[in-house]
Amino acid sequence: MFVCFRRIRKCQLRQLMMMCFVLSVIKVYWESLDNNIGGHVKSYSFRLLNSLDFISANLTISHEEAQKFSNHRYLINHEQKCVNQDVLLLLLVKSSPENFERRQAIRSTWGNEVYIEKNLGLTVRVLFALGIHPQPMDRKKLQQRLLWEDQIYQDLIQQDFLDTFHNLTVKLLLQLSWTHAYCNHARFLMSADDDIFVHMPNLIRYLQEVDQTGVKDFWIGKVHRGAPPIRKKDSKYYVSHEMYPWILYPDYTPGAGYVVSRDVASRVYQASLTLNASLYIDDVFMGICANAIGISPQEHVFFSGEGRAPNHVCIYNQMMTSHGHVKDFHELWKLATDPEVQRVSSGLFGKLYCTITKIRLLCVLHTLNTYPCKAAFS
């Protein structure tokens, strides 16, 4: 019986060693393939960046003409939000006037400034950027509710443009101009949708490490490279030839969630002052502004873009963002910040288990635009 048990243990050990060997080979092969592809992409992106210089040149207009896109009156503002504060991250959440419950969920989970300061020891400022409700019949009632909401939480900034899909670029201009005017000393700026989940402890730790390097030209998220405009008229993202006559967009990150360093936020704002902002896809306009100043986004494998991240303990340990959340903020926040997450994914066996799990979750064919396969080996 003892001999049989020893054989079983030896067999299990061999299987474990073989599995580690196979995973190592896969990782080496994947990294080699990724570096090879990445080199071509970087080379292509460099050529593309140079070849797309004419886009910003053709979209350049006078400062007076550009003002018509951003010359909106503040209805709600908080000029003192960042004053005398050492702000690591200014987080501006794009919201709509009627999305009260989403804002409440964010305030009580990942966007809770008090929790962040108490548990992570840093100052993060969270504001919700809004326009006015497009329906005149509902506008007055909703506006009164917004004023009441802001009296309590003091975290809304609102201008008098119509809050519609076709004014998303105007909302981006609001974020850039507010940052420039009232919080330009924040070391990082994040723009996010109000249906995104941000794993704040992971993001803060990452930004702290980046900040210590004195980083500049920093722009991270899920990157779309060489994306063409959508010409189908029934698409929400339809862009006409008249509005954008070229066949490719500059590299950009989806507006669901991305982070830029202070210097990039400042330079993008300056670029926006002389660019035609009639293109209503805000993340593409961000890419045009960045292209004008020679900045290209960097891919971070745990920014999900438009996709929803898999719900698993091995994902939470490295998650930065997950898109497409409305009613599960509290549940996901509780699961993702559970101390058990660190225990499960630590140690040799924990790391091996999580690598295998992530391969199963991420390295399969699917239609969701979530984390790439290479994230399994990060």
Side-chain angles (χ1 to χ4, degrees):
M1 183 72 179
F2 180 69
V3 174
C4 183
F5 179 70
R6 288 184 62 186
R7 285 179 181 173
I8 291 171
R9 290 196 63 181
K10 284 183 179 179
C11 182
Q12 288 176 334
L13 184 60
R14 279 196 217 100
Q15 287 178 342
L16 180 59
M17 291 175 66
M18 181 61 70
M19 188 177 295
C20 290
F21 174 74
V22 170
L23 286 173
S24 298
V25 170
I26 291 172
K27 183 177 180 181
V28 169
Y29 171 76
W30 180 266
E31 287 179 345
S32 174
L33 180 64
D34 186 49
N35 288 336
N36 187 37
I37 293 172
H40 287 298
V41 168
K42 286 177 183 176
S43 175
Y44 170 73
S45 294
F46 181 75
R47 294 195 304 272
L48 186 64
L49 186 66
N50 288 331
S51 66
L52 292 184
D53 285 346
F54 65 89
I55 292 178
S56 55
N58 278 274
L59 292 176
T60 298
I61 55 179
S62 69
H63 182 74
E64 290 71 25
E65 288 179 291
Q67 272 194 318
K68 69 180 181 182
F69 298 106
S70 59
N71 191 22
H72 295 281
R73 182 171 57 95
Y74 277 100
L75 300 177
I76 303 175
N77 195 10
H78 293 283
E79 299 177 6
Q80 305 300 311
K81 186 75 172 179
C82 294
V83 172
N84 298 325
Q85 299 289 328
D86 180 18
V87 181
L88 175 71
L89 175 66
L90 171 63
L91 203 161
L92 294 174
V93 183
K94 294 172 289 183
S95 190
S96 297
E98 68 274 16
N99 290 354
F100 175 77
E101 291 183 1
R102 295 189 191 185
R103 293 191 290 274
Q104 282 290 77
I106 291 170
R107 290 182 184 114
S108 58
T109 55
W110 59 264
N112 188 319
E113 293 180 353
V114 175
Y115 169 90
I116 294 167
E117 189 158 358
K118 181 180 178 181
N119 292 277
L120 305 178
L122 288 157
T123 300
V124 172
R125 287 290 172 255
V126 181
L127 285 163
F128 298 92
L130 311 98
I132 59 175
H133 197 274
Q135 297 299 327
M137 297 293 290
D138 301 321
R139 188 178 302 157
K140 186 175 180 180
K141 183 179 178 180
L142 274 170
Q143 192 62 28
Q144 288 175 341
R145 186 174 183 180
L146 286 174
L147 291 170
W148 167 82
E149 179 186 344
D150 188 65
Q151 270 191 328
I152 298 172
Y153 301 105
Q154 299 184 7
D155 59 1
L156 305 183
I157 53 173
Q158 183 191 33
Q159 288 184 337
D160 62 353
F161 59 85
L162 296 182
D163 200 310
T164 64
F165 177 79
H166 287 84
N167 272 338
L168 280 175
T169 297
V170 177
K171 191 175 284 188
L172 172 63
L173 295 175
L174 163 59
Q175 296 173 77
L176 293 171
S177 62
W178 194 92
T179 302
H180 175 77
Y182 306 116
C183 202
N184 61 9
H185 60 284
R187 300 200 286 282
F188 297 95
L189 166 67
M190 181 174 191
S191 177
D193 287 344
D194 65 2
D195 63 346
I196 195 173
F197 178 86
V198 180
H199 196 303
M200 194 58 72
N202 288 349
L203 179 62
I204 291 299
R205 281 193 292 268
Y206 173 68
L207 292 180
Q208 280 183 292
E209 292 175 6
V210 170
D211 187 46
Q212 289 172 1
T213 68
V215 69
K216 292 186 181 298
D217 297 345
F218 180 80
W219 176 17
I220 60 161
K222 175 87 173 180
V223 180
H224 290 327
R225 301 196 188 279
I230 294 175
R231 304 300 190 189
K232 293 182 180 179
K233 292 187 177 181
D234 59 346
S235 171
K236 177 182 179 181
Y237 301 99
Y238 165 73
V239 171
S240 67
H241 286 278
E242 291 73 23
M243 181 174 288
Y244 190 90
W246 305 286
I247 62 171
L248 293 177
Y249 290 136
D251 295 350
Y252 68 94
T253 52
Y258 57 85
V259 180
V260 298
S261 54
R262 173 173 51 200
D263 62 300
V264 172
S266 177
R267 291 167 63 196
V268 165
Y269 166 71
Q270 294 298 333
S272 73
L273 297 178
T274 54
L275 285 173
N276 188 331
S278 59
L279 179 66
Y280 46 78
I281 302 178
D282 59 318
D283 42 18
V284 173
F285 183 74
M286 173 72 180
I288 292 170
C289 291
N291 181 67
I293 59 173
I295 300 296
S296 185
Q298 307 159 46
E299 178 86 15
H300 191 295
V301 292
F302 287 100
F303 274 72
S304 67
E306 294 90 352
R308 189 180 178 118
N311 286 330
H312 197 280
V313 66
C314 289
I315 296 292
Y316 302 147
N317 192 45
Q318 294 170 287
M319 171 189 282
M320 292 291 181
T321 69
S322 179
H323 192 213
H325 298 273
V326 177
K327 298 185 180 299
D328 61 341
F329 275 127
H330 291 91
E331 180 184 0
L332 185 53
W333 177 250
K334 184 178 179 180
L335 290 171
T337 58
D338 192 323
E340 183 73 4
V341 170
Q342 296 290 335
R343 191 192 69 79
V344 169
S345 55
S346 63
L348 176 62
F349 288 99
K351 290 177 181 177
L352 180 61
Y353 165 70
C354 278
T355 298
I356 295 170
T357 301
K358 286 186 290 184
I359 290 171
R360 178 177 59 83
L361 292 172
L362 303 177
C363 301
V364 293
L365 293 175
H366 53 71
T367 56
L368 291 176
N369 188 16
T370 183
Y371 307 143
C373 179
K374 63 183 177 181
F377 305 102
S378 297

